[in-house]
């Protein structure tokens, strides 16, 4: 198992358009020490190499990730560079450093957390992070895990503190302006958790004149800003919302459906309400310009799904709590 250094996570119309557009793209592409410094000797030092993009790769990445900003047409959340097993400059630089630094979550039960019985990191995203790291580096001991707060995910990437982030991170048009993403690996939506004693029976009831909590930098926080709340409480990590709800300081928590299910499994005094908003997709995040790294990650994701590992991870970590078909959560353009 690798080490960890440092102390340390649109809408229906958008997805419908994205899935249609992405169909063509897919056809064409067949040691835990919690501190403050970065793994490369400081913020930005040793950051993944910025690559000169080939003309066709540059066109694909720029059009898929930022071309339609501010225009009527939505960006394509499904579009990424074609998968490849070739090591370009970015991957070669990581291998020369002899470690791939992966940003993860340590506060999300069933996704990324530490098992209190054996101290092992585990969860759906942890399994995926290990698979990506091992495939690229060829040795799981060369995979370094770094805990990253939800609000600092983009900052950690742009400052070179991590090479990639596997941390329930939704792909959005706004984020695509700043960083790169792999192809999606999980479909999601925003759900609401409340105490079992709450009179609210639906998402809308729970967010009408109440105090609600969400993680800073999350899609959930943006959604709550549009709701008729009494008070909005932003926190650093999703688990902080659960604690505040347990203490009676907030009435409701909004988060991704998978995280909501994990929190309900972790604490039997809360429940997930009917109703969902902001359907979206999660992806692996990394630095813009590291095109060959994105391609390598996309190849691992294809192999991870086609070889059955994605389904096994889903059945192990999420199926008992999401209680629905795994196929609904693998992002296939329709």
């Amino acid at each position: 198992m690798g080490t960890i250094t440092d102390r340390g996570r649109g809408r229906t119309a958008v997805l419908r358009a994205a899935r249609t557009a992405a169909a063509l793209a897919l056809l064409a592409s067949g040691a835990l020490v919690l501190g403050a410094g970065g793994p490369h000797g400081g913020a930005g030092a040793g950051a993944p190499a910025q690559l000169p993009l080939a003309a066709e790769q540059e066109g694909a990445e720029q059009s898929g990730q930022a071309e339609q900003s501010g225009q009527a047409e939505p960006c394509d959340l499904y579009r990424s560079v074609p998968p490849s097993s070739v090591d370009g400059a970015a991957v070669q630089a990581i291998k020369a450093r002899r470690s791939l630094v992966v940003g993860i979550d340590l506060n999300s039960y069933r996704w990324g957390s530490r098992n209190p019985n054996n101290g092992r990191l585990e969860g759906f995203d942890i399994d995926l992070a290990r698979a990506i790291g091992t495939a690229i580096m060829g040795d799981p001991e060369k995979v370094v895990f770094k805990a990253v707060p939800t609000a600092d995910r983009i900052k950690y990437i742009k400052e070179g503190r991590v090479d990639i982030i596997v941390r329930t991170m939704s792909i959005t048009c706004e984020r695509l302006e700043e960083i790169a993403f792999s192809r999606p690996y999980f479909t999601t939506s925003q759900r609401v958790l409340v105490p079992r004693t709450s009179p609210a029976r639906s998402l809308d009831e729970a967010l009408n004149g109440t105090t609600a909590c969400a993680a800073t930098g999350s899609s959930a926080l943006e959604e709550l800003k549009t709701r008729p709340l009494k008070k909005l409480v932003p926190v650093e990590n999703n688990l902080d919302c659960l604690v505040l709800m347990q203490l009676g300081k907030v009435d409701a928590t909004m988060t991704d459906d998978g995280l909501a299910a994990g929190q309900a499994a972790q604490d039997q005094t809360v429940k997930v309400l009917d109703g969902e908003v902001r359907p979206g997709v999660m992806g692996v995040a990394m630095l813009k310009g590291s095109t060959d790294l994105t391609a390598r990650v996309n190849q691992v994701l294809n192999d991870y799904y086609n070889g059955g590992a994605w389904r096994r991870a889903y059945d192990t970590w999420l199926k008992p709590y999401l209680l629905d078909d795994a196929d609904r959560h693998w992002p296939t353009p329709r």
Side-chain angles (χ1 to χ4, degrees):
M1 165 179 162
T3 60
I4 305 179
T5 62
D6 208 350
R7 192 180 297 273
R9 189 186 136 32
R11 295 187 180 269
T12 302
V14 173
L15 286 181
R16 187 177 294 116
R19 287 166 176 165
T20 301
L24 295 176
L26 288 180
L27 286 174
S29 67
L32 181 52
V33 178
L34 301 179
H40 312 311
Q50 296 274 352
L51 301 184
L53 303 180
E56 61 179 1
Q57 290 177 320
E58 184 174 18
E61 184 166 17
Q62 290 181 350
S63 63
Q65 296 183 347
E67 70 171 349
Q68 303 196 26
S69 174
Q71 300 181 14
E73 292 295 321
C75 72
D76 186 347
L77 304 182
Y78 278 73
R79 188 169 184 176
S80 185
V81 299
S84 173
S85 297
V86 176
D87 291 349
V91 175
Q92 290 173 6
I94 292 169
K95 288 186 173 181
R97 200 178 66 224
R98 301 183 60 81
S99 66
L100 176 76
V101 185
V102 184
I104 59 167
D105 191 359
L106 290 180
N107 298 301
S108 295
Y109 185 58
R110 314 304 291 185
W111 286 88
S113 62
R114 185 176 296 285
N115 187 315
N117 296 318
N118 56 29
R120 181 176 173 81
L121 299 178
E122 61 183 26
F124 184 85
D125 274 348
I126 300 299
D127 281 1
L128 177 57
R130 285 197 176 103
I132 294 172
T134 301
I136 292 176
M137 301 303 294
D139 182 353
E141 293 300 320
K142 295 180 181 179
V143 182
V144 178
F145 294 111
K146 178 193 288 289
V148 179
T150 304
D152 292 335
R153 291 174 296 185
I154 292 178
K155 176 182 176 181
Y156 271 50
I157 292 171
K158 296 175 78 170
E159 292 184 352
R161 299 190 186 192
V162 297
D163 296 304
I164 65 175
I165 284 183
V166 187
R167 194 193 186 286
T168 58
M169 192 168 184
S170 297
I171 306 172
T172 68
C173 296
E174 294 77 15
R175 289 171 180 167
L176 285 168
E177 294 284 349
E178 299 190 72
I179 57 175
F181 278 95
S182 69
R183 65 144 295 163
Y185 69 85
F186 202 87
T187 63
T188 187
S189 61
Q190 300 301 313
R191 301 290 297 271
V192 165
L193 284 149
V194 296
R196 288 194 173 274
T197 55
S198 171
R201 294 170 295 178
S202 68
L203 179 150
D204 290 336
E205 287 185 10
L207 302 180
N208 186 9
T210 59
T211 299
C213 181
T216 300
S218 68
S219 299
L221 189 69
E222 294 307 310
E223 175 64 26
L224 289 181
K225 291 177 181 178
T226 70
R227 295 286 173 161
L229 299 173
K230 176 182 178 181
K231 183 179 180 180
L232 173 57
V233 180
V235 297
E236 186 173 82
N237 286 299
N238 279 296
L239 190 61
D240 299 330
C241 285
L242 180 61
V243 173
L244 290 176
M245 198 157 56
Q246 292 168 338
L247 295 174
K249 294 185 177 182
V250 300
D251 304 307
T253 292
M254 177 170 277
T255 188
D256 295 338
D257 57 355
L259 294 176
Q263 290 188 13
Q266 186 176 10
D267 184 352
Q268 302 299 312
T269 69
V270 302
K271 61 183 178 181
V272 182
L273 294 178
D274 290 336
E276 58 185 33
V277 293
R278 293 202 178 212
V281 288
M282 298 175 184
V284 179
M286 62 209 87
L287 192 69
K288 266 192 169 184
S290 297
T291 312
D292 67 294
L293 176 59
T294 308
R296 289 286 275 117
V297 171
N298 283 336
Q299 184 64 57
V300 177
L301 286 172
N302 283 358
D303 297 341
Y304 192 70
Y305 180 78
N306 293 330
W310 185 94
R311 181 60 181 261
R312 289 191 294 272
Y314 180 92
D315 289 347
T316 298
W317 302 111
L318 305 179
K319 183 178 180 179
Y321 306 101
L322 289 177
L323 301 176
D324 56 13
D325 189 355
D327 292 338
R328 187 176 84 83
H329 291 286
W330 175 254
T332 302
R334 293 174 174 83

